[in-house]
Amino acid sequence: MYALRDPELRFDELKRATGGRSKTVSDALDVLSENDLITRRTEEAAPIAVYYRLTEKGETLVSRLDDVSQWAVEWMDAVDDPDDFRRRLR
């Protein structure tokens, strides 16, 4: 979901941004879409392109995840490198 903070991303852009495998990214997008956290837009002109973006509901969830991430960084004693920890959470 963090990768979808950009206005719109295509499938391959999401795959690169997350480092996920095609099936994993596809399954995650299906679940996010079913829960109205993202929208999917298809551009029919050749080549066909599919774009994904957060819905308003998804944007509010990402902001809550930011809050949880910040809390974890502040309260986890075992975190040696808070910046690295933040990167791994995203």
Side-chain angles (χ1 to χ4, degrees):
M1 288 189 64
Y2 281 109
L4 286 166
R5 286 180 156 173
D6 290 329
E8 280 187 321
L9 291 177
R10 293 176 70 168
F11 183 84
D12 284 340
E13 293 170 321
L14 280 168
K15 194 172 137 187
R16 275 192 300 275
T18 62
R21 294 170 36 197
S22 293
K23 175 144 177 48
T24 304
V25 174
S26 180
D27 290 348
L29 290 170
D30 287 344
V31 170
L32 294 171
S33 181
E34 289 168 7
N35 288 286
D36 299 321
L37 296 169
I38 64 168
T39 60
R40 173 187 162 128
R41 178 177 69 84
T42 304
E43 214 171 78
E44 299 295 333
I48 294 175
V50 180
Y51 294 88
Y52 299 90
R53 63 178 292 188
L54 291 173
T55 61
E56 184 178 348
K57 181 180 177 182
E59 289 174 4
T60 61
L61 178 57
V62 168
S63 70
R64 298 311 190 281
L65 294 173
D66 280 339
D67 293 341
V68 171
S69 174
Q70 183 60 41
W71 176 89
V73 168
E74 290 173 10
W75 289 97
M76 291 191 63
D77 295 335
V79 175
D80 294 327
D81 183 352
D83 291 330
D84 179 56
F85 182 74
R86 280 190 203 96
R87 280 190 298 278
R88 287 186 284 139
L89 286 176
R90 293 175 187 214

